[in-house]
Amino acid sequence: MKPLYKNLFFILVTVASLTGFSACQKADQDFIHDNNLISDMRLKMNTSAEGIQGVITEYNAAGEVVTGDEITVKDVEGGYGRIEFILKRSLIGAYDLENCYLSASLTYDEKITPPLTRHNITNRDADGKAQGIEFTVTSGIGTTRRYLVIGYFEGEEILVEQPEDEE
């Protein structure tokens, strides 16, 4: 009886290892995306919270706001995005915009830098105006899009500028 279990165990280990190694292939071209858009970003005070949804505004290469239900990469190519978290003043104390977590909805082959960990999304200048932080989203084919993410409480002064061009 023991040889049967040994052989069965050997066969299972062999099949499992072959299956594991077969998954290390190049990505199928049908599943590599050109998408570098963020469809949803949330501000959280801890990683398990649902969070507050940010307002996403997409701009095209001419700096014009692009609107519509289904914005595509082609619609906004060469532009940038802006994600704002405008909180009511009554939430001061409950939310710390200088020490918060972010989460974003991306396609499976998109990468975002810097990573979505704990951030200061006010990034105040010397005058105390919120200026936000910049994230870069890279698609599966290597195209990039810049997003300015900024958080502030209603009534605060902010610097309203597009992200700097990387040259």
Side-chain angles (χ1 to χ4, degrees):
M1 197 64 132
K2 285 188 179 184
L4 177 64
Y5 287 125
K6 272 187 176 177
N7 289 337
L8 185 59
F9 179 73
F10 178 73
I11 290 170
L12 287 174
V13 169
T14 303
V15 169
S17 64
L18 289 175
T19 304
F21 288 123
S22 67
C24 296
Q25 299 175 15
K26 282 188 172 180
D28 188 339
Q29 293 300 315
D30 293 339
F31 297 107
I32 296 178
H33 298 101
D34 66 347
N35 188 30
N36 55 16
L37 302 175
I38 295 176
S39 60
D40 177 57
M41 184 173 270
R42 294 184 178 271
L43 166 74
K44 304 175 179 188
M45 291 316 300
N46 64 57
T47 56
S48 63
E50 183 179 324
I52 296 174
Q53 186 173 11
V55 176
I56 301 174
T57 307
E58 300 286 0
Y59 296 88
N60 62 19
E64 303 163 332
V65 174
V66 178
T67 58
D69 291 336
E70 295 292 322
I71 296 174
T72 66
V73 173
K74 295 285 184 222
D75 296 334
V76 295
E77 189 171 21
Y80 64 96
R82 181 181 176 91
I83 303 174
E84 291 182 282
F85 295 97
I86 310 163
L87 278 62
K88 295 182 179 185
R89 296 195 66 73
S90 62
L91 294 175
I92 293 175
Y95 281 87
D96 181 0
L97 300 176
E98 295 180 8
N99 188 17
C100 59
Y101 291 96
L102 297 172
S103 66
S105 296
L106 305 168
T107 56
Y108 83 97
D109 57 352
E110 283 179 285
K111 295 178 200 158
I112 190 165
T113 51
L116 294 176
T117 57
R118 195 176 287 226
H119 289 285
N120 173 356
I121 61 171
T122 60
N123 193 23
R124 298 186 191 285
D125 66 2
D127 296 327
K129 294 180 182 176
Q131 53 188 354
I133 59 173
E134 191 173 308
F135 287 90
T136 301
V137 179
T138 305
S139 71
I141 62 170
T143 59
T144 61
R145 183 164 182 78
R146 292 172 292 115
Y147 281 89
L148 176 66
V149 177
I150 187 168
Y152 54 95
F153 292 97
E154 290 176 334
E156 286 187 311
E157 287 191 60
I158 62 168
L159 293 177
V160 181
E161 297 176 4
Q162 78 178 48
E164 297 287 325
D165 282 334
E166 294 176 19
E167 297 185 37

